[in-house]
């Protein structure tokens, strides 16, 4: 006698919940929930076949049934590798019917499928690479030896690879998963495509891997194909060496240009500093000359004052002697006073006073008498003496007292001097002498 055990179950993509009658709540069943995953979930439809404790689940990749041992009541998960594309059913309306001991029937949108679970066992199988094609930028294609490591240029960087599994199952197609080591290190999603193309690969070493599955059974091997893409010419070792050399040459050229530039700047700065030093030296010499001129001017004024004082002393002395002489001439007994008058005349006519005056004048007005003599060589010593007195801007009366002559005689001397100097009538004698 067969004992049927019934359970209240609720299926959704997070798992399968079982109703606990004692507590009145649903809890997640650990066994049944192994059937579903977020990726594999397709329908929450659960079917319990008639006259047996077998519970069927429908997922994207297969049909799963859970059977229990009639004696121990232990559950076992079994998988029928029929994908939803092969089943071609309507979501939520899945059905399954047992025909005999191992054959079952499921309905599809266009008919039905009969399968024998005893004949769905898949033996070990392998996956192989069938063809490797290389394509250039201009579209030209060439076949490559799949058992030889490929060596491609940077222009031939588009690779197409075909692969296959030499097994045939009426209700199941092989699925493939690929990986390109060196550039893409993760496995791709499962797909029934048996070719793949990698375009515009960068330079480097690559290892292509492919594995397959039929239902839930994986291939016993992983097929591989290794190849390399050469560096583009502009980043080849020779070009990198040329780039480095170019950078070095450019750096050397820039260093040379900067050095020349800073050398010129330094020379300009040195020249500018020299000019400034020269200008400062000229300014310093000019300042020194100005100080010397000021000192000479002070000395000249001092000596001029001394000369004027000396001249005034001579004038006063001669004036004194002249007054004494006049007073003596008014007194009678001239014979008795003759020696005295003779001494007075002798002092009035002494030349040593002129020599002292000339020395003082030359110190105060250096080179004047020589300049006048050079301009007018015909001038006599008396003419030079008159020029000196006139340069001191002395009046005719003062000159007459110095020379012990009358003012009229001084005017005559001045007239004769004008003629020797060849002055015009409108020319001023004193101004002319002051400008020499």
């Amino acid at each position: 006698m067969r004992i049927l055990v019934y359970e209240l179950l609720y299926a959704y993509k997070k798992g399968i919940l079982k109703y606990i009658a004692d507590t009145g709540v649903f809890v997640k069943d650990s066994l049944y929930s192994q059937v579903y995953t977020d990726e594999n979930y397709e329908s929450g439809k659960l079917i319990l076949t008639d006259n047996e404790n077998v519970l069927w689940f429908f997922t994207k990749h297969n049909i799963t049934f859970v059977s229990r041992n009639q004696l121990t009541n232990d559950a076992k998960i079994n998988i029928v590798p029929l994908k939803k594309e092969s089943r071609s059913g309507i979501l939520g309306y899945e059905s399954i019917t047992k025909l005999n001991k191992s054959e079952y029937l499921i309905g599809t949108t266009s008919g039905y499928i009969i399968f024998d679970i005893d004949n769905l066992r898949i033996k070990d199988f392998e996956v192989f690479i069938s063809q490797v094609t290389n394509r250039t930028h201009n579209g030209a294609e060439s076949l490559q030896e799949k058992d030889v490591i490929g060596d491609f240029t940077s222009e031939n960087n588009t690779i197409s690879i075909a692969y296959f599994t030499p097994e045939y199952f009426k209700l199941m197609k092989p699925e493939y998963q690929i990986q390109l080591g060196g550039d893409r290190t993760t496995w791709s999603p499962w797909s029934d495509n048996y070719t793949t193309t990698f375009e515009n690969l960068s330079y480097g070493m690559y290892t292509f891997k492919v594995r397959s599955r039929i239902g839930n059974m994986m291939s016993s091997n992983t097929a591989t194909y290794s190849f390399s893409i050469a560096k583009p010419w502009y980043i080849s070792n020779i070009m990198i060496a040329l780039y480095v050399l170019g950078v070095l040459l450019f750096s050397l050229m820039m260093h040379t240009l900067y050095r020349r530039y800073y050398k010129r700047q330094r020379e300009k700065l040195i020249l500018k500093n020299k000019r400034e030093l020269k200008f400062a030296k000229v300014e310093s010499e000019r300042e020194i000359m100005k100080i010397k001129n000021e000192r000479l001017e002070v000395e000249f004024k001092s000596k001029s004052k001394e000369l004027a004082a000396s001249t005034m002393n001579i004038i006063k002395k001669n004036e004194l002697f002249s007054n004494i002489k006049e007073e003596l001439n008014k007194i009678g007994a001239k014979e008795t006073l003759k020696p005295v008058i003779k001494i007075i005349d002798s002092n009035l006519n002494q030349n040593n006073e002129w020599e002292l005056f000339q020395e003082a004048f030359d110190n105060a007005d250096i080179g004047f008498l020589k300049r006048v003599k050079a301009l007018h060589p015909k001038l006599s010593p008396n003419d030079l003496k008159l020029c000196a007195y006139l340069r001191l801007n002395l009046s005719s009366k003062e000159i007459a007292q110095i020379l012990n002559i009358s003012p009229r005689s001084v005017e005559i001397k001045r007239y004769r001097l004008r003629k020797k100097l060849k002055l015009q009538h409108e020319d001023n004698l004193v101004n002319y002498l002051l400008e020499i």
Side-chain angles (χ1 to χ4, degrees):
M1 180 178 179
R2 181 177 298 172
I3 300 174
L4 298 178
V5 179
Y6 295 97
E7 296 174 324
L8 182 59
L9 302 175
Y10 173 76
Y12 75 121
K13 65 180 179 178
K14 296 295 183 180
I16 297 177
L17 303 179
K18 182 171 65 174
Y19 180 75
I20 306 300
D22 295 339
T23 59
V25 296
F26 283 90
V27 296
K28 189 172 184 180
D29 186 89
S30 58
L31 174 65
Y32 295 149
S33 295
Q34 296 177 20
V35 176
Y36 286 151
T37 63
D38 288 343
E39 178 186 355
N40 199 28
Y41 178 80
E42 173 67 8
S43 171
K45 183 71 174 289
L46 304 177
I47 297 177
L48 183 66
T49 55
D50 298 334
N51 303 321
E52 60 180 352
N53 283 336
V54 177
L55 184 62
W56 295 84
F57 305 84
F58 297 86
T59 65
K60 289 182 179 179
H61 302 301
N62 49 56
I63 298 173
T64 305
F65 63 93
V66 178
S67 60
R68 291 184 180 274
N69 188 287
Q70 294 181 0
L71 297 177
T72 62
N73 201 32
D74 293 333
K76 180 181 178 182
I77 297 176
N78 303 276
I79 295 175
V80 179
L82 286 175
K83 295 176 64 176
K84 72 170 186 176
E85 291 82 6
S86 301
R87 302 193 303 265
S88 184
I90 300 175
L91 187 64
Y93 290 91
E94 295 86 352
S95 65
I96 186 165
T97 303
K98 184 177 181 178
L99 300 179
N100 53 44
K101 182 179 179 181
S102 61
E103 289 186 343
Y104 290 85
L105 180 146
I106 61 174
T108 68
T109 56
S110 59
Y112 58 88
I113 296 174
I114 298 175
F115 61 90
D116 189 341
I117 59 175
D118 292 337
N119 293 329
L120 289 176
R121 295 182 179 91
I122 303 171
K123 63 181 180 178
D124 290 342
F125 60 92
E126 294 182 350
V127 62
F128 300 92
I129 293 176
S130 60
Q131 180 178 288
V132 177
T133 305
N134 172 241
R135 187 171 73 246
T136 62
H137 292 305
N138 57 15
E141 294 186 355
S142 61
L143 291 175
Q144 305 296 321
E145 292 289 339
K146 61 180 180 296
D147 297 326
V148 179
I149 296 176
D151 187 10
F152 308 115
T153 64
S154 60
E155 290 79 13
N156 302 337
N157 61 348
T158 297
I159 310 297
S160 295
I161 302 175
Y163 33 86
F164 69 100
T165 296
E167 298 290 339
Y168 173 74
F169 293 91
K170 182 179 181 180
L171 300 177
M172 291 174 287
K173 292 182 179 180
E175 293 182 309
Y176 302 95
Q177 194 176 41
I178 62 173
Q179 182 190 82
L180 186 63
D183 184 37
R184 301 155 191 166
T185 56
T186 58
W187 287 97
S188 68
W190 289 102
S191 171
D192 56 5
N193 293 328
Y194 51 87
T195 61
T196 185
T197 300
F198 303 101
E199 296 182 345
N200 299 322
L201 293 173
S202 59
Y203 67 90
M205 188 71 189
Y206 296 90
T207 299
F208 172 78
K209 298 179 181 180
V210 58
R211 60 190 181 186
S212 67
R213 74 178 181 183
I214 299 176
N216 286 334
M217 188 170 182
M218 297 286 295
S219 60
S220 60
N221 74 317
T222 298
T224 62
Y225 174 71
S226 297
F227 62 94
S228 64
I229 305 288
K231 292 182 180 180
W233 65 268
Y234 51 83
I235 57 173
S236 63
N237 294 335
I238 295 177
M239 291 305 298
I240 290 175
L242 291 176
Y243 294 151
V244 173
L245 180 61
V247 171
L248 292 176
L249 291 176
F250 178 76
S251 300
L252 180 61
M253 182 184 68
M254 292 303 296
H255 174 71
T256 302
L257 292 176
Y258 273 112
R259 187 172 61 182
R260 290 180 181 176
Y261 171 76
Y262 285 114
K263 183 179 179 181
R264 288 195 297 268
Q265 292 297 109
R266 185 172 66 253
E267 289 175 353
K268 289 181 180 180
L269 183 60
I270 292 173
L271 182 60
K272 181 181 178 182
N273 291 336
K274 285 183 178 179
R275 288 176 179 175
E276 290 179 353
L277 288 174
K278 187 176 180 180
F279 179 76
K281 184 178 179 181
V282 171
E283 288 293 322
S284 178
E285 291 176 353
R286 185 179 299 173
E287 192 67 23
I288 292 172
M289 187 64 68
K290 180 180 178 182
I291 293 173
K292 287 182 177 180
N293 290 337
E294 290 177 353
R295 185 181 300 170
L296 290 175
E297 185 176 356
V298 171
E299 292 179 357
F300 174 77
K301 289 181 179 179
S302 176
K303 291 180 179 180
S304 297
K305 289 180 180 179
E306 293 177 0
L307 181 60
S310 175
T311 304
M312 292 305 298
N313 287 333
I314 294 173
I315 293 171
K316 288 181 179 179
K317 186 199 72 170
N318 290 343
E319 185 178 2
L320 177 61
F321 281 132
S322 297
N323 291 335
I324 294 173
K325 181 180 178 181
E326 289 179 1
E327 293 298 327
L328 290 176
N329 287 328
K330 291 179 182 180
I331 302 173
K334 291 185 179 181
E335 293 296 331
T336 306
L337 298 176
K338 273 186 179 182
V340 177
I341 295 172
K342 186 176 181 180
I343 293 172
I344 293 172
D345 290 337
S346 176
N347 279 279
L348 288 172
N349 296 322
Q350 283 183 353
N351 289 326
N352 58 348
E353 292 181 353
W354 162 248
E355 293 175 358
L356 293 173
F357 173 82
Q358 185 180 5
E359 182 180 356
F361 183 81
D362 284 337
N363 290 331
D365 198 349
I366 299 172
F368 170 73
L369 295 177
K370 291 182 179 180
R371 293 197 300 272
V372 174
K373 186 66 176 177
L375 292 173
H376 306 283
K378 295 182 179 181
L379 294 180
S380 63
N382 289 330
D383 293 331
L384 294 175
K385 188 184 297 186
L386 179 60
C387 288
Y389 293 147
L390 291 173
R391 187 171 175 84
L392 291 175
N393 205 17
L394 298 178
S395 63
S396 297
K397 183 178 179 181
E398 291 171 337
I399 296 173
Q401 290 177 350
I402 294 173
L403 298 178
N404 194 24
I405 58 177
S406 64
R408 178 63 181 169
S409 299
V410 174
E411 291 296 330
I412 293 172
K413 286 181 175 290
R414 291 182 63 162
Y415 175 75
R416 292 173 179 172
L417 180 61
R418 286 178 62 88
K419 291 184 67 178
K420 290 182 179 182
L421 296 177
K422 298 180 180 181
L423 297 179
Q424 300 296 325
H425 178 71
E426 64 274 6
D427 295 332
N428 187 282
L429 177 59
V430 176
N431 290 339
Y432 175 76
L433 294 174
L434 290 174
E435 292 175 357
I436 295 178

